[in-house]
């Protein structure tokens, strides 16, 4: 079953909204500060060549992870839609009797 593009767009918009809303909490702000400190300490001893190679790898790694997460998310949406459809069809059968 292919997910319609309008549904995919609606889910993406909702995900974007939730993500932007989640970026304002104090817990996330502290995590960002901690991450920035760790980032700065990690790169203090690197020369420019090492840094550039690492950043190229990290970009590819994060892109791959984002693709994996998007695929898992969309599979979950498909599974949820199929479950909802099956439950609605089953409840319609019950009412028809």
């Amino acid at each position: 079953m292919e997910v319609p593009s309008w549904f995919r767009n609606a889910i993406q918009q909702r995900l974007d909204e939730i993500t932007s809303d989640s970026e304002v909490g104090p817990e996330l702000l502290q995590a960002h500060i901690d991450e920035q400190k760790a980032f700065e300490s990690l790169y203090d001893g690197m020369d420019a060549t090492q840094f550039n190679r690492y950043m190229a790898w990290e970009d590819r790694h994060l892109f791959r992870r984002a693709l994996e997460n998007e695929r898992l998310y969309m599979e979950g949406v498909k599974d949820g839609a199929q479950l909802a459809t099956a439950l609605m069809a089953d409840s319609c059968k019950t009412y028809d009797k």
Side-chain angles (χ1 to χ4, degrees):
M1 174 173 114
E2 183 64 31
V3 175
S5 61
W6 66 266
F7 185 72
R8 185 179 281 248
N9 291 337
I11 294 297
Q12 184 63 52
Q13 287 176 359
R14 179 65 178 142
L15 182 60
D16 292 344
E17 180 183 316
I18 291 169
T19 301
S20 68
D21 288 347
S22 71
E23 293 175 352
V24 295
E27 185 177 292
L28 188 60
L29 179 61
Q30 185 59 49
H32 179 70
I33 291 168
D34 295 343
E35 176 191 20
Q36 189 63 34
K37 288 177 185 176
F39 178 83
E40 290 168 3
S41 71
L42 176 66
Y43 297 116
D44 276 344
M46 280 191 185
D47 65 25
T49 303
Q50 290 172 319
F51 180 77
N52 289 335
R53 282 196 309 236
Y54 178 79
M55 293 303 288
W57 169 83
E58 186 180 43
D59 285 345
R60 289 181 181 104
H61 173 72
L62 293 175
F63 180 71
R64 179 187 58 82
R65 294 295 309 266
L67 290 175
E68 288 173 352
N69 288 337
E70 180 181 354
R71 182 168 182 237
L72 290 171
Y73 177 79
M74 288 309 297
E75 288 301 315
V77 169
K78 288 178 188 177
D79 291 348
Q82 288 175 343
L83 178 60
T85 301
L87 291 173
M88 287 189 302
D90 189 50
S91 68
C92 289
K93 289 177 189 176
T94 303
Y95 288 119
D96 288 342
K97 290 183 181 181

